[in-house]
Amino acid sequence: GFVGDDESMLSVNLYIDVAFAGDVVSQRSTTGIHLTIEGPHTNFPIQGISCKQTSQGLSTPEVEIVAACHGYCKVLLPALDIWEVIAPRLQAPRFHEDNQATIAVITSGRNPTMRHLHRVHRVDVQWLYERLGNHTERDPTILYYEDTDNMSADIYTKSFDNPQKWAHARKLISV
């Protein structure tokens, strides 16, 4: 990684991606999480995770919501506790998601077609809405739609047979 900015120009960034039914045998999806410190001249990777989800999902938005909840709760929130002490002048954290249906569910708090999420995956859409939704009492985290071509977490969920795409994926995570 590289750091070329003052602390006040940096932010903690969380990238979440999923390979729907990526495991051929179990049909469970693979979650990819990439945590980084970024700025105009900074890209410093902090953590990368690739893990299989605990249950089968029925759709891409469903497994993206599961991954979003896991990434926000288990990765970003604990990281913010540390970074608020180390670098208190950081800009608001950023949560990057490449699935527009997932963003719509999180920002609205409504998900009538996936009422089973809490029972099957132990994911509470209302909790995500309270933390990241469109209201004044939410966390200061900024939810971004990220173009799939710039999704840093892709490297944790997909295989690459094209050398140019592999080089691009490695560059996104500063490797």
Side-chain angles (χ1 to χ4, degrees):
F2 54 93
V3 178
D5 297 304
D6 181 70
E7 173 186 325
S8 64
M9 298 180 73
L10 303 176
S11 65
V12 178
N13 288 260
L14 180 70
Y15 293 85
I16 301 289
D17 199 30
V18 174
F20 177 65
D23 186 304
V24 178
V25 176
S26 70
Q27 291 297 297
R28 290 190 287 173
S29 301
T30 303
T31 296
I33 300 170
H34 184 69
L35 185 70
T36 183
I37 300 293
E38 293 181 8
H41 306 289
T42 300
N43 189 340
F44 198 88
I46 303 297
Q47 184 176 7
I49 297 173
S50 177
C51 61
K52 195 183 303 184
Q53 292 187 359
T54 57
S55 300
Q56 288 181 354
L58 301 175
S59 66
T60 299
E62 176 182 332
V63 297
E64 289 272 0
I65 290 169
V66 172
C69 187
H70 179 78
Y72 194 72
C73 180
K74 306 282 189 203
V75 178
L76 186 60
L77 288 179
L80 292 179
D81 288 342
I82 295 169
W83 284 100
E84 287 173 357
V85 173
I86 295 172
R89 297 184 313 145
L90 288 178
Q91 294 179 4
R94 297 179 178 145
F95 185 110
H96 301 261
E97 174 60 59
D98 68 350
N99 186 283
Q100 292 180 352
T102 300
I103 292 172
V105 168
I106 291 171
T107 56
S108 72
R110 291 184 173 77
N111 192 11
T113 60
M114 292 182 249
R115 286 181 241 131
H116 62 282
L117 273 176
H118 184 65
R119 186 175 60 255
V120 174
H121 298 284
R122 300 290 185 237
V123 170
D124 188 354
V125 172
Q126 188 61 36
W127 182 83
L128 280 171
Y129 170 73
E130 289 168 6
R131 303 307 296 245
L132 298 167
N134 284 338
H135 56 87
T136 57
E137 296 174 15
R138 66 188 209 73
D139 291 351
T141 303
I142 301 167
L143 183 59
Y144 277 106
Y145 170 73
E146 185 65 62
D147 186 69
T148 301
D149 292 336
N150 296 322
M151 178 48 74
S152 297
D154 268 357
I155 200 164
Y156 304 104
T157 62
K158 295 171 179 52
S159 61
F160 294 89
D161 55 6
N162 180 319
Q164 289 81 18
K165 288 185 178 183
W166 173 244
H168 177 70
R170 288 180 38 223
K171 183 179 178 185
L172 288 174
I173 64 166
S174 294
V175 171

